[in-house]
Amino acid sequence: MKVTELFDLTNRVAIITGGGRGLGEQIAEVYAEMGCHLALCSRKKENCEEVAERLAKEYGIKANSYSLDVTSEPQVEEVVSRVLADFGKIDILVNNSGATWGAPVEDMPLEAWNKVMNVNVTGTFLMSKAVGRHMIEQNYGKIINIASAAGLTVRPPEVTNTIGYTTSKAAVIHFTKDLAIKWARHNIYVNAIAPGMFRTKMTAGTLEQKEDTVLETIPLNKIGDDQMLKGAAIYLATKASDFVTGTVLSVDGGSTL
């Protein structure tokens, strides 16, 4: 098999939560480039619509957008059913929707903690459950959970102060490993990517205030750009990773060393 075939996604179908901006948009773009059809989901459907229209036009693939709150099981079930009706199958699930909240532990509202845990952990569970039923039936699937380097390490409050976020991403990492062993018998691969500090809307405030401090924690001394996650995302979605499951791939400039 040629190397190019290992990374080919022609006529595969991927559902990407949070696919309308940031890391989700970057993943959607590299999948489209490799021939994958896209179902992009977000609470802000208009963001997904813009990305879907652009990628469909640029790469000649089919791309639809859907409004989705991943913390709502009825919405998750409805959107997954619609995607299956629109595309006929789902080969790849990228659980990318995420939330964060910055505050000292002693001041963090319970509402904020619950919001972060519900989006990052419960949302990942609900999407995996709904899509997983279909993947079990077709005896194939690739699930990629977007965790975080923050779920693998800890930092003093001068660097980050987001204990709900870090705890939720640690939970996503363990969920990934546990689900991988549960569904390996169904030929479903479950892996996670743990991005470090990338320039996104979510990290803009932190980088504006503390970029120099953050850079001190990254051995490669740089912040992730809009190209640096694509290689990991395409690897875990394709035949190239057909002997890989339950793995967490850190894309973090060495920050978790």
Side-chain angles (χ1 to χ4, degrees):
M1 181 179 293
K2 295 180 180 179
V3 172
T4 51
E5 293 179 58
L6 287 176
F7 295 93
D8 184 32
L9 287 177
T10 300
N11 291 326
R12 293 293 193 185
V13 176
I15 182 169
I16 304 174
T17 66
R21 70 180 192 193
L23 301 182
E25 181 178 0
Q26 294 171 30
I27 294 169
E29 179 145 21
V30 71
Y31 287 3
E33 184 177 348
M34 300 307 292
C36 191
H37 304 302
L38 300 172
L40 306 182
C41 311
S42 174
R43 285 179 301 166
K44 296 183 178 179
K45 185 185 177 186
E46 60 273 16
N47 292 344
C48 292
E49 285 177 347
E50 291 177 8
V51 174
E53 289 175 6
R54 177 177 66 83
L55 295 179
K57 182 177 180 180
E58 186 170 352
Y59 296 105
I61 51 94
K62 180 178 179 179
N64 290 355
S65 59
Y66 305 83
S67 177
L68 175 63
D69 175 357
V70 296
T71 69
S72 167
E73 187 166 21
Q75 284 193 38
V76 167
E77 296 286 350
E78 178 186 357
V79 167
V80 170
S81 294
R82 287 175 58 197
V83 172
L84 288 172
D86 291 343
F87 292 88
K89 62 174 182 172
I90 300 172
D91 301 297
I92 303 157
L93 165 64
V94 180
N95 284 310
N96 172 69
S97 285
T100 190
W101 190 286
V105 182
E106 61 271 22
D107 298 327
M108 180 173 286
L110 176 60
E111 179 185 0
W113 171 274
N114 286 340
K115 175 185 176 181
V116 172
M117 296 298 287
N118 284 339
V119 173
N120 297 356
V121 184
T122 303
T124 296
F125 161 69
L126 290 175
M127 288 298 299
S128 299
K129 176 184 175 183
V131 175
R133 292 195 198 102
H134 168 70
M135 289 180 169
I136 289 171
E137 288 180 5
Q138 70 182 13
N139 196 41
Y140 176 81
K142 298 265 187 173
I143 297 176
I144 302 166
N145 298 322
I146 305 302
S148 173
L152 292 167
T153 188
V154 293
R155 295 284 184 253
E158 291 78 18
V159 180
T160 56
N161 215 352
T162 56
I163 197 167
Y165 180 79
T166 58
T167 302
S168 72
K169 291 303 186 178
V172 168
I173 288 168
H174 191 82
F175 176 85
T176 298
K177 293 175 178 291
D178 203 358
L179 190 60
I181 202 166
K182 301 295 193 294
W183 284 355
R185 67 194 63 187
H186 302 298
N187 203 32
I188 298 173
Y189 304 77
V190 188
N191 292 289
I193 299 174
M197 186 62 74
F198 277 71
R199 295 192 190 278
T200 66
K201 185 175 180 179
M202 183 182 288
T203 64
T206 298
L207 290 175
E208 183 178 347
Q209 299 173 23
K210 305 176 180 180
E211 182 163 342
D212 290 343
T213 303
V214 170
L215 282 170
E216 291 175 2
T217 70
I218 304 173
L220 288 180
N221 196 41
K222 57 186 174 184
I223 307 298
D225 63 24
D226 59 5
Q227 302 298 317
M228 291 178 178
L229 200 71
K230 290 182 176 179
I234 197 71
Y235 170 66
L236 291 178
T238 58
K239 293 177 182 178
S241 59
D242 274 359
F243 200 45
V244 178
T245 198
T247 290
V248 181
L249 178 52
S250 295
V251 186
D252 64 4
S255 66
T256 54
L257 294 174

